[in-house]
């Protein structure tokens, strides 16, 4: 996900300048409104010594680097603090016969960057590219694959979700889209609420800009989740595609069981607050999915949708984040705090204070309202 709308927007009358915004919200803003400035952490020490993971990336452009994480396996890891071409993570699986690319990224240039990295290590034909889910930061670069004749795989409902979610933005009046978010900033009752609302406005502004700067390009090979898992033989390298609930209702992962490597898409945010806003996101479903990931081999290497490559400790950490959100929410629920207020009142604990928050109303806020809805329906 992306998180720095504000600075592109300073010519518009209603926009805060980023600097004045930071000055006004210094006690809240640092954690999420300027998440862009939080650089990608280095590889954890235990991964730096993992024989599957190469110390030096095959290419590093700042906005993303590509690193070997197994035999024929590569991870594309984005650092949005250094540029916007990719934003999400991805990777590729290069067998002896064919290659599977992962993610369309947020721009065609991002997808092209990954293709160039592939061609540094393998010349075999590409079988397909896979969007792990429909979200814009994973799919707006899809047209690169269309232009290059690469079949594009995704969950059966991903194409429809791309159209339903992003096509309307392309014909929409900007003020009509952003107005309600600007009003929330203006009407905020406290600095904290204002900071939350501003982070949402930044996110939606950026989404609007990206949608209007992009050619929507749809997956042309829908994968029916009912038919998963499927195994793909790439030539001496077998990838397994599976689907799990949680983040978007269209989430698929790519596993390489022989090497204990998993490309999770956004079912794993590594060292980030999870993005939970999607109408098909399910907090209980997602927590069950993470429990399942925790049952994978103890030496599993996870290539997350956002954040640094991690092992099982990364799964343990995101489960702790969900536990913390649920714990704080449950106390408020039992105390009769309304959902609207509870989603504002969550306090980021010290141990997660460096975790990027894409935007409050796309992460913590909806996690809490979804939890409330689950408890109310019991
Ligand atoms: Zn996503």
């Amino acid at each position: 996900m992306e998180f720095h709308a504000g600075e592109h927007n300073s010519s518009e009358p209603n926009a805060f300048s980023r600097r004045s915004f930071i000055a006004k919200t210094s006690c809240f803003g640092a954690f999420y409104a300027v998440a862009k400035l939080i650089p990608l952490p280095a590889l954890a020490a235990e991964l730096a010594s993992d024989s599957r993971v190469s110390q030096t990336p095959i290419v590093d452009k700042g906005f993303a680097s590509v690193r070997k994480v197994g035999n024929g396996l590569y991870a594309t890891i984005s650092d949005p603090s250094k540029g916007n071409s990719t934003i999400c993570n991805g990777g590729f699986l290069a067998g002896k016969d064919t290659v599977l690319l992962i993610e369309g990224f947020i721009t065609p240039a991002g997808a092209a960057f990954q293709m160039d990295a592939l061609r540094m290590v393998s010349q075999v034909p590409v079988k397909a590219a896979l969007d792990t889910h429909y979200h814009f930061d994973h799919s707006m670069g899809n047209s690169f694959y269309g232009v290059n004749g690469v079949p594009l795989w995704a969950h059966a409902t991903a194409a429809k979700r791309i159209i339903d979610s992003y096509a309307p933005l392309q014909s929409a009046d900007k003020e009509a889209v952003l107005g309600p978010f600007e009003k929330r900033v203006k009407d905020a009752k406290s600095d904290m609420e204002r900071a939350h609302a501003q982070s949402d406005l930044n996110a939606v502004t950026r989404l609007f800009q990206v949608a209007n700067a992009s050619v929507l390009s749809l997956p042309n090979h829908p994968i029916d989740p009912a038919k998963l898992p499927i195994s793909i033989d790439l030539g001496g390298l077998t990838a397994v595609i599976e689907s799990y609930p949680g983040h978007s209702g269209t989430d698929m992962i790519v596993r390489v069981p022989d090497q204990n490597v998993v490309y999770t898409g956004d079912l794993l945010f590594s060292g980030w607050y999870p993005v939970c806003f999607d109408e098909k996101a399910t907090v209980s479903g997602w927590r069950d999915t993470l429990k399942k990931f925790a049952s994978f081999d103890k030496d599993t290497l996870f290539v997350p949708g956002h954040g640094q490559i991690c092992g099982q400790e990364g799964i343990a950490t995101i489960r702790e984040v969900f536990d913390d959100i649920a714990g704080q929410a449950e106390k408020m629920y039992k105390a009769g705090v309304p959902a609207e207020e509870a989603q504002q009142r969550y306090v980021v604990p010290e141990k997660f204070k460096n975790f990027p928050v894409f935007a409050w109303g796309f992460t913590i806020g909806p996690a809490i309202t979804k939890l409330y809805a689950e408890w109310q329906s019991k």
Side-chain angles (χ1 to χ4, degrees):
M1 275 294 202
E2 246 271 283
F3 31 57
H4 56 103
E7 79 274 25
H8 299 299
N9 205 22
S10 51
S11 60
E12 285 152 33
N14 285 330
F16 284 82
S17 90
R18 167 194 267 251
R19 189 151 299 157
S20 77
F21 172 57
I22 293 170
K24 280 176 196 152
T25 60
S26 55
C27 53
F28 306 106
F31 304 147
Y32 46 90
V34 292
K36 180 196 176 190
L37 301 180
I38 300 173
L40 182 77
L43 273 183
E46 57 271 32
L47 292 185
S49 60
D50 187 314
S51 63
R52 290 168 294 184
V53 180
S54 69
Q55 297 302 294
T56 314
I58 61 168
V59 56
D60 186 349
K61 294 264 188 186
F63 65 81
S65 64
V66 179
R67 187 188 300 274
K68 192 164 192 254
V69 294
N71 194 2
L73 307 179
Y74 294 80
T76 300
I77 302 297
S78 291
D79 183 347
S81 75
K82 300 201 175 84
N84 310 323
S85 297
T86 46
I87 299 296
C88 75
N89 296 334
F92 49 87
L93 300 79
K96 289 192 191 70
D97 304 326
T98 56
V99 177
L100 178 63
L101 294 158
I102 298 178
E103 305 297 13
F105 301 99
I106 197 169
T107 67
F113 160 77
Q114 179 164 272
M115 181 70 103
D116 288 347
L118 163 67
R119 290 311 179 210
M120 294 169 70
V121 298
S122 168
Q123 303 307 318
V124 303
V126 172
K127 185 180 186 69
L130 171 98
D131 288 351
T132 59
H133 63 298
Y134 82 93
H135 284 163
F136 74 110
D137 50 328
H138 299 252
S139 65
M140 289 288 178
N142 281 346
S143 61
F144 172 81
Y145 299 125
V147 166
N148 287 282
V150 174
L152 184 57
W153 297 0
H155 187 282
T157 61
K160 181 172 163 33
R161 298 294 310 277
I162 289 172
I163 290 290
D164 291 352
S165 306
Y166 306 130
L169 290 177
Q170 296 188 318
S171 52
D173 173 57
K174 188 172 186 180
E175 229 7 71
V177 174
L178 301 183
F181 291 91
E182 287 164 349
K183 186 169 171 1
R184 272 183 47 215
V185 173
K186 226 178 295 159
D187 295 350
K189 292 191 286 290
S190 65
D191 285 351
M192 179 182 73
E193 272 188 34
R194 190 168 305 109
H196 295 169
Q198 181 67 42
S199 71
D200 295 350
L201 174 59
N202 290 351
V204 175
T205 303
R206 181 66 177 146
L207 170 58
F208 185 86
Q209 289 167 339
V210 170
N212 280 281
S214 302
V215 174
L216 297 184
S217 188
L218 305 179
N220 59 358
H221 181 104
I223 297 176
D224 179 354
K227 293 184 180 144
L228 297 180
I230 49 170
S231 286
I232 314 289
D233 180 5
L234 302 167
L237 175 56
T238 300
V240 181
I241 298 175
E242 300 173 353
S243 181
Y244 291 95
H247 171 69
S248 74
T250 61
D251 303 296
M252 298 195 303
I253 69 168
V254 179
R255 283 176 83 174
V256 182
D258 292 349
Q259 302 190 51
N260 287 326
V261 174
V262 184
Y263 298 82
T264 64
D266 282 2
L267 288 169
L268 175 58
F269 282 78
S270 174
W272 281 46
Y273 269 86
V275 170
C276 298
F277 75 95
D278 199 283
E279 64 188 55
K280 301 281 187 192
T282 149
V283 174
S284 58
W286 198 339
R287 294 172 89 188
D288 287 348
T289 294
L290 292 167
K291 194 173 173 187
K292 171 81 183 171
F293 290 178
S295 75
F296 292 173
D297 190 280
K298 68 174 175 38
D299 291 325
T300 301
L301 203 59
F302 294 94
V303 180
H306 297 272
Q308 190 51 276
I309 301 164
C310 61
Q312 282 288 2
E313 82 289 345
I315 301 295
T317 300
I318 189 73
R319 294 181 75 194
E320 267 184 70
V321 171
F322 271 113
D323 290 349
D324 186 67
I325 295 172
Q328 291 193 38
E330 192 177 7
K331 275 194 200 123
M332 293 188 274
Y333 181 73
K334 286 185 172 157
V337 178
E340 267 307 297
E341 196 181 326
Q343 61 159 322
Q344 298 284 351
R345 271 210 222 164
Y346 173 85
V347 177
V348 174
E350 186 64 22
K351 61 182 169 179
F352 304 136
K353 75 174 167 40
N354 291 324
F355 282 35
V357 175
F358 166 64
W360 197 267
F362 289 73
T363 53
I364 292 158
I368 290 172
T369 51
K370 281 168 189 280
L371 283 163
Y372 262 63
E374 286 181 12
W375 293 326
Q376 275 154 357
S377 69
K378 267 182 192 155

